[in-house]
Amino acid sequence: MSIQASMLLGGVLLLLGIASSKFSARLGVPVLVLFLGLGMLAGSEGLGGIPFEDYPLANNMGSVALALILFDGGLRTSPASARRVWRPALALSTLGVLLTSLITGLAAAWVLGMPPLQGLLLGSIVGSTDAAAVFSMLRTSGLKLPERLTATLEVESGSNDPMAIFLTIGLIGVISGQADSAQALLLLFLAQFGVGMAGGLLVGVLAARAVNRINLDYPGLYPLLALGFGLVAFGLASVLGGSGFLAVYLAGMVIGSSSRVFRPGILAFHDAIAWLGQIVLFVMLGLLSFPSRLLTVAWAGVLIALVLLLVARPLAVFTAALPFHYRLRELVFLSWVGLKGAVPITLATFPLMAGIPQSQLIFNAVFFVVLLSAITQGWSLPLVARWLRIGRPADPSPALTVEINALRRVDGEIVDYTVKPTAVGAGKALRQLALPDGVLVTLILRGRQVVMPRGGTVLLPGDHVFVAMRTSLQPLIDRLFDPDPAAFAEGAAAPSLPPDLRLAFRATTTVEQLHGFLGLPLDPHLPKRTAASSLGSLLAAAQPAAAMELGSLIIEAGPDRELVLVRR
């Protein structure tokens, strides 16, 4: 096929993939299933009749696409959330994958009538939760899950590939006779995790410093700079014998948490790259499949999938995550959301390239199990979440976005908030909110109507409020506009105030407004008259007038008459 014909075909498949994503929510089918289906329709046994059975090429393209998807996922994973869940996520990505692989592998060996080692190889291939499938599901499910569950799924799926790769490569070595000692397997395990983690963190730190300090003259180069470091992290770890997937995910996490220069542009670029990676990856894997071969393993595939989804994954989740105080319904949800996707199909090409006996049977069974997992788990996710009373519908995307694309390090951001019915500001005029100096409501989007904010503008539930602020103030403003308890870990309180709190407020701000903004309860013995008094009037009546105590707060005179300083 000529390069011109290849470009035409690639463009048509890309456009069809984008068009199919438009119908994903309407059909109730996960978007990755539509991408796979498109590839199968275009394949040699489909309407397109495109012959494709190049497993090494598919493996290489799959690795690149997965690296891009993981890098974007890392950019959007909060390190603060990851720190809170790294222990259960690590347990799920190691012990959880091991148990899932063992149980599924033994069942596959019995169902398919193959030797135990080949069965365990199949179990290892499908044992990990797929990052591409999970990230796609979180994007398109229409659900806002509790932060702890979201972080657990993201970190587990981003970090469990090394375990699956270790088990797959180790078992291939054992079957082929190349890995003949426990010491060799242990070194492989340590290299996958250790080198991958060290390489990702090292490159991530260097990348964050470079992005923030390089001062490029052309804004479009910043996303490419970040992408270059992501590829370096993946390649460096892989060349040194570690997990490139773990490295690129961690590098993305470090860059995403540290980069302040052109951040919206970097995220928008890599969001597009991740979507391109998903379309290319799943369409290519669909091209690689042969429906007639899948039908020959259909009944065996159904039995293996049932063991995986209903026995192996739940037992692994309950064993690995139960010590970390998840509630029963959260454990059930984690058990059901162990989606399989591109990683198992990509790993299934390893036995084919290594010439392992019955490798074609393993590939067909893995493909069928992944397809069944994506359809059943992805489609039923909103239903299971509602049944377990977990999460809520995601906020609708605003029809307008406002961003600051800083080309140098600046202390400022514009953040988009959706006003919830339980928000402190819901139903209040802007002048009633005690916004500190350095915070300004710049724009309000009500449906498709742009509302220019004034002091008397009342915030309504569902409004999208764009707030310009100094970066250091965002955690406090988050609490003002995002009071949803699902945003915090189960049973956890709102974040405490920083001990070095020092803010400037308008002198007309009342004591009640100040306490409402800071999330502090009013002293029940405080007179109503005092609660309704302004900070400026109380300070003027204080002796000496330069400062006064108000509970745990200290009120001081500001730089001018219109402002007062509040500190702890």
Side-chain angles (χ1 to χ4, degrees), residues 129-143:
T129 299
D130 184 68
V134 169
F135 292 154
S136 175
M137 176 272 296
L138 292 177
R139 286 168 179 241
T140 59
S141 66
L143 285 173

Side-chain angles (χ1 to χ4, degrees), residues 78 147 260 413-420 422-425 435-436 439 465 467 469-485 487-488 494-495 516-519:
S78 164
E147 183 180 344
R260 286 293 177 263
E413 291 191 52
I414 292 182
V415 182
D416 169 24
Y417 294 101
T418 301
V419 179
K420 300 179 177 61
T422 54
V424 173
L435 296 178
V439 178
V465 182
V467 185
M469 69 187 77
R470 291 197 297 271
T471 304
S472 58
L473 297 177
Q474 184 173 346
L476 293 173
I477 306 303
D478 288 348
R479 303 196 317 175
L480 182 67
F481 285 95
D482 192 6
D484 190 347
F488 304 104
F517 171 77
L518 296 177

Side-chain angles (χ1 to χ4, degrees), residues 344-413:
I345 300 177
T346 302
L347 289 180
T349 63
F350 285 19
L352 285 165
M353 294 186 294
I356 299 299
Q358 297 182 295
S359 56
Q360 186 64 59
L361 177 61
I362 292 174
F363 180 87
N364 295 335
V366 167
F367 198 103
F368 190 90
V369 169
V370 168
L371 193 60
L372 199 60
S373 167
I375 293 174
T376 56
Q377 292 176 292
W379 168 79
S380 63
L381 177 68
L383 299 176
V384 173
R386 284 197 294 268
W387 176 61
L388 294 172
R389 301 193 302 278
I390 288 178
R392 60 175 176 80
D395 298 323
S397 299
L400 178 70
T401 60
V402 178
E403 298 172 347
I404 293 179
N405 280 304
L407 302 183
R408 302 291 184 270
R409 297 188 71 179
V410 295
D411 181 19
E413 291 191 52

Side-chain angles (χ1 to χ4, degrees), residues 100-465:
T100 303
S101 303
L102 179 63
I103 297 171
T104 307
L106 293 176
W110 179 75
V111 170
L112 295 172
M114 57 175 53
L117 285 178
Q118 269 87 338
L120 291 174
L121 177 59
L122 190 155
S124 300
I125 290 171
V126 299
S128 64
T129 299
D130 184 68
V134 169
F135 292 154
S136 175
M137 176 272 296
L138 292 177
R139 286 168 179 241
T140 59
S141 66
L143 285 173
K144 173 71 173 179
L145 298 175
E147 183 180 344
R148 190 186 188 202
L149 279 182
T150 300
T152 301
L153 286 169
E154 289 178 341
V155 177
E156 179 208 356
S157 62
S159 63
N160 66 4
D161 292 331
M163 188 66 177
I165 294 171
F166 158 72
L167 292 173
T168 300
I169 295 177
L171 283 166
I172 289 175
V174 172
I175 294 172
S176 62
Q178 297 176 357
D180 53 0
S181 69
Q183 183 179 3
L185 294 176
L186 178 61
L187 290 175
L188 176 62
F189 175 81
L190 294 177
Q192 282 289 305
F193 278 95
V195 175
M197 184 177 297
L201 294 177
L202 175 62
V203 174
V205 170
L206 294 176
R209 292 181 179 178
V211 170
N212 287 325
R213 299 180 183 180
I214 196 170
N215 293 334
L216 294 172
D217 295 325
Y218 303 101
L221 292 178
Y222 280 103
L224 294 178
L225 178 66
L227 175 61
F229 276 108
L231 296 177
V232 167
F234 179 85
L236 180 64
S238 300
V239 168
L240 296 177
S243 170
F245 298 120
L246 178 60
V248 75
Y249 178 73
L250 291 177
M253 190 186 302
V254 175
I255 297 171
S257 64
S258 306
S259 175
R260 286 293 177 263
V261 177
F262 208 67
R263 176 181 171 81
I266 291 174
L267 292 177
F269 173 83
H270 285 93
D271 180 59
I273 290 295
W275 274 112
L276 176 62
Q278 289 190 65
I279 294 174
V280 170
L281 178 61
F282 288 106
V283 170
M284 179 195 67
L285 294 176
L287 286 171
L288 201 61
S289 70
F290 289 80
S292 61
R293 297 178 185 176
L294 298 182
L295 291 175
T296 62
V297 297
W299 285 110
V302 168
L303 292 176
I304 295 171
L306 288 175
V307 172
L308 173 62
L309 304 184
L310 302 181
V311 181
R313 171 70 179 180
L315 282 176
V317 167
F318 275 77
T319 302
L322 189 60
F324 299 99
H325 308 294
Y326 286 88
R327 294 181 302 168
L328 177 61
R329 59 184 180 182
E330 291 176 327
L331 292 172
V332 173
F333 187 80
L334 285 173
S335 301
W336 188 246
V337 192
L339 274 81
K340 312 304 170 187
V343 170
I345 300 177
T346 302
L347 289 180
T349 63
F350 285 19
L352 285 165
M353 294 186 294
I356 299 299
Q358 297 182 295
S359 56
Q360 186 64 59
L361 177 61
I362 292 174
F363 180 87
N364 295 335
V366 167
F367 198 103
F368 190 90
V369 169
V370 168
L371 193 60
L372 199 60
S373 167
I375 293 174
T376 56
Q377 292 176 292
W379 168 79
S380 63
L381 177 68
L383 299 176
V384 173
R386 284 197 294 268
W387 176 61
L388 294 172
R389 301 193 302 278
I390 288 178
R392 60 175 176 80
D395 298 323
S397 299
L400 178 70
T401 60
V402 178
E403 298 172 347
I404 293 179
N405 280 304
L407 302 183
R408 302 291 184 270
R409 297 188 71 179
V410 295
D411 181 19
E413 291 191 52
I414 292 182
V415 182
D416 169 24
Y417 294 101
T418 301
V419 179
K420 300 179 177 61
T422 54
V424 173
K428 293 184 179 179
L430 289 177
R431 67 166 62 98
Q432 296 177 281
L433 300 179
L435 296 178
D437 186 50
V439 178
L440 179 67
V441 176
T442 61
L443 194 67
I444 299 173
L445 186 64
R446 186 167 294 160
R448 296 185 179 273
Q449 178 185 3
V450 174
V451 178
M452 305 308 296
R454 295 179 174 84
T457 303
V458 177
L459 298 179
L460 302 179
D463 284 352
H464 290 277
V465 182

Side-chain angles (χ1 to χ4, degrees), residues 534-549 554-558 563-565:
S534 68
L535 300 179
S537 64
L538 291 177
L539 188 61
Q543 294 297 329
M548 63 169 288
E549 291 186 3
I554 297 177
I555 314 298
E556 298 176 334
L563 295 175
V564 296
L565 295 179

